Amino acid sequence: MSTSEKEIKVLLFGLGAIGGFYVFVLGRNENVSLSVVARSNYQQVKEHGLRIESQNHGDHKVNIDQVYKSPDEITSAFDYIVCTHKAVNPSKVPPILKPATNDNTTFVIIQNGVGNEEPFRTTFPNNTIISCVTWVGATQTSPGLIKHTKSEDMQMGLFPNPKLNSDLEQQRLNTFATLLATGQTIFQVEKDIQIKRWEKVVWNAAWNSITTLTDVNTQDWLASSPEAIPVTKHLMHEVIDIAIRCKVPLDHSLADGLVDKISAMPGIFSSMHTDMKEGRGLEVDVILGYPMRMAKELEMNVPVLSTIYALTTAVNGRLNKL
Ligand SMILES: NC(=O)C1=CN([C@@H]2O[C@H](COP(=O)(O)OP(=O)(O)OC[C@H]3O[C@@H](n4cnc5c(N)ncnc54)[C@H](OP(=O)(O)O)[C@@H]3O)[C@@H](O)[C@H]2O)C=CC1
Ligand SMILES: CC(C)(CO)C(=O)C(=O)O
C-alpha cells in the first residue's frame, strides 16, 4: 500500500524508548501512514531506520513512512498524535504541535504522571484526548535501537471533552484500540482512566523518586533499613489520600499490593533514574508536583511526599544546570 492510500495518519512525537515501542506496534498496521518526530536520534533514524529488540516480540526493523526533525516541518493535520516525550515541562510541548493538527486530531498521551492532559486541553480545547498508562519496560540503548523487556501492558481511556459528542470520542478511542490490537500489544480500555493514572503515580512517586535519590535498585532499597518499607508505604498512603480527596476512588490496600508486587520482582531502577544518570531533567512535575499542588490546595498534611518532592526537585535543579 502506498503512503497516499493509507487511511489513518498517525504522528508519534517523542521517539525514545516508549515511543519506539509504540511505533513498532502501530507500524504493524498496513492502513496506517506513520510519521515520527525524532530529535537526538533524527540522523540515525532518518538514514538507517529504527530497530527494536523485544523479549516478547523478537527483533524487527520498524515500519516508518516519514521522519521529521520538528513539527514545524509539517504542513497537514494528522488523525492521531501519539505523545511519548517525557513530561519534564508539561505545558511547553502542546503549542509546538499546532502545525500537525486540526480540530479532528486526537491526542494520545502515553506518559507517567497525573495532570498530563491539562496543558493539551488548554491548547486544544476542541480535540479528543486519549490518556494512557503504560507498563512497558524499555530503553533506547543507542540512537535508533530500542530494547524492550518482557514487561508489557497498557490501560487507556478518554479524558472526556464536554464540548464533543461522546459517540464521536468513543469512536476515536475504538479506532485507536483497533490499531493497538492489530499491533499485537497488550492493553485494556478503561471507563475511568484516572483511577489507573493515579494508581500508577502511587507506584512512580515511590520507586522513581527513591531509585533516583538513592541510586540503589528497589530490592536493595527494601533491604537497606527497617525504615525503608514503612517510609515507602507512608508515602504511598499520602498519595492515595490525595487521589481520594481529588475524587479518584483508590483503595488504601493498593500500598501493600504495590510493595508486594515490587518485592516479587528483581531489583529495578526507573525511567527517572535513567534520566538522572543521563543528566537529563526529571518528570518531577507530573509524578510528584501535581499531587503536591493538589495536597496544598486541599490543605492536606503530607510530610513524606513533601520531603521526597523537595529532595527530587533539588536533584532536578542540579541536573537542569548541567
Ligand atoms: N522507559 C520506560 O520503561 C517507561 C517510561 N514511561 C513513561 O513514558 C514516557 C516516555 O518515556 P521514555 O520513552 O522512557 O523516555 P525517553 O527519554 O526514552 O524518550 C523521550 C523522547 O522524547 C523526545 N523528546 C522530548 N522532548 C522533545 C521535543 N521537545 N521535541 C522532540 N522530541 C522530544 C526525546 O528526544 P531526545 O532524545 O532528543 O531527548 C526522546 O527521544 C515518560 O512519561 C515515562 O515516564 C512509562 C513506563 C515505562
Ligand atoms: C518501567 C516502570 C514500570 C518501572 O517502575 C516505570 O513506570 C518507570 O520506570 O517509569
Side-chain angles (χ1 to χ4, degrees):
M1 209 183 266
S2 76
T3 304
S4 59
E5 284 170 327
K6 294 180 178 178
E7 291 156 21
I8 306 176
K9 285 183 71 190
V10 179
L11 175 69
L12 184 127
F13 179 86
L15 187 63
I18 294 298
F21 176 82
Y22 285 103
V23 160
F24 159 65
V25 167
L26 294 165
R28 286 174 148 178
N29 285 267
E30 283 207 333
N31 60 341
V32 166
S33 164
L34 190 54
S35 300
V36 297
V37 174
R39 196 167 60 175
S40 60
N41 52 7
Y42 172 79
Q43 214 56 39
Q44 176 69 24
V45 175
K46 180 90 183 161
E47 283 170 22
H48 306 287
L50 182 76
R51 292 200 63 80
I52 183 165
E53 293 174 9
S54 164
Q55 290 182 28
N56 292 348
H57 300 274
D59 298 356
H60 300 270
K61 182 162 185 211
V62 177
N63 297 319
I64 298 175
D65 294 303
Q66 186 75 38
V67 184
Y68 296 103
K69 216 175 198 166
S70 153
D72 289 347
E73 297 170 355
I74 297 171
T75 52
S76 64
F78 283 82
D79 299 310
Y80 290 90
I81 300 184
V82 181
C83 293
T84 50
H85 57 286
K86 286 252 167 69
V88 281
N89 262 316
S91 53
K92 278 219 163 144
V93 164
I96 68 176
L97 297 173
K98 277 192 173 162
T101 68
N102 62 22
D103 280 357
N104 294 321
T105 303
T106 294
F107 293 92
V108 181
I109 302 171
I110 311 181
Q111 291 176 327
N112 280 329
V114 283
N116 309 49
E117 305 92 346
E118 290 177 9
F120 284 87
R121 178 67 23 99
T122 304
T123 311
F124 301 105
N126 301 321
N127 293 63
T128 294
I129 297 175
I130 297 173
S131 181
C132 306
V133 176
T134 186
W135 292 86
V136 162
T139 322
Q140 181 170 210
T141 52
S142 61
L145 177 62
I146 310 301
K147 294 218 174 158
H148 170 226
T149 63
K150 282 195 176 305
S151 180
E152 179 174 359
D153 199 5
M154 179 155 100
Q155 292 83 42
M156 67 174 193
L158 290 166
F159 183 70
N161 189 340
K163 286 177 134 189
L164 294 179
N165 178 300
S166 57
D167 289 344
L168 174 66
E169 292 220 287
Q170 191 60 44
Q171 182 201 317
R172 289 169 172 171
L173 176 66
N174 293 346
T175 301
F176 195 75
T178 304
L179 302 186
L180 294 180
T182 305
Q184 297 165 40
T185 191
I186 305 163
F187 68 96
Q188 304 86 44
V189 176
E190 299 289 330
K191 272 213 171 83
D192 183 355
I193 189 63
Q194 293 308 319
I195 296 176
K196 297 295 167 191
R197 281 207 92 85
W198 277 88
E199 282 179 0
K200 178 94 193 270
V201 101
V202 173
W203 170 277
N204 290 127
W207 308 126
N208 290 37
S209 35
I210 288 169
T211 53
T212 303
L213 292 170
T214 61
D215 202 13
V216 301
N217 71 39
T218 47
Q219 283 294 347
D220 290 345
W221 159 254
L222 294 173
S224 63
S225 78
E227 306 313 319
I229 292 180
V231 165
T232 309
K233 286 192 180 173
H234 198 140
L235 170 62
M236 290 178 167
H237 284 296
E238 287 180 1
V239 181
I240 293 167
D241 276 332
I242 300 166
I244 293 169
R245 291 285 306 276
C246 291
K247 302 198 173 14
V248 179
L250 298 197
D251 194 294
H252 274 283
S253 61
L254 178 66
D256 286 343
L258 294 183
V259 171
D260 289 349
K261 182 171 175 173
I262 207 86
S263 301
M265 290 164 63
I268 59 164
F269 288 94
S270 64
S271 55
M272 185 182 274
H273 179 267
T274 305
D275 289 335
M276 185 267 289
K277 284 297 198 193
E278 298 285 331
R280 299 189 295 235
L282 308 178
E283 289 180 301
V284 185
D285 193 69
V286 290
I287 291 177
L288 300 164
Y290 188 90
M292 199 58 236
R293 279 201 294 286
M294 290 300 116
K296 277 203 168 155
E297 261 179 41
L298 296 161
E299 297 180 1
M300 296 172 71
N301 185 27
V302 285
V304 183
L305 175 63
S306 306
T307 307
I308 295 285
Y309 171 74
L311 295 174
T312 314
T313 300
V315 173
N316 193 32
R318 169 173 65 76
L319 294 166
N320 284 330
K321 280 192 199 139
L322 292 179

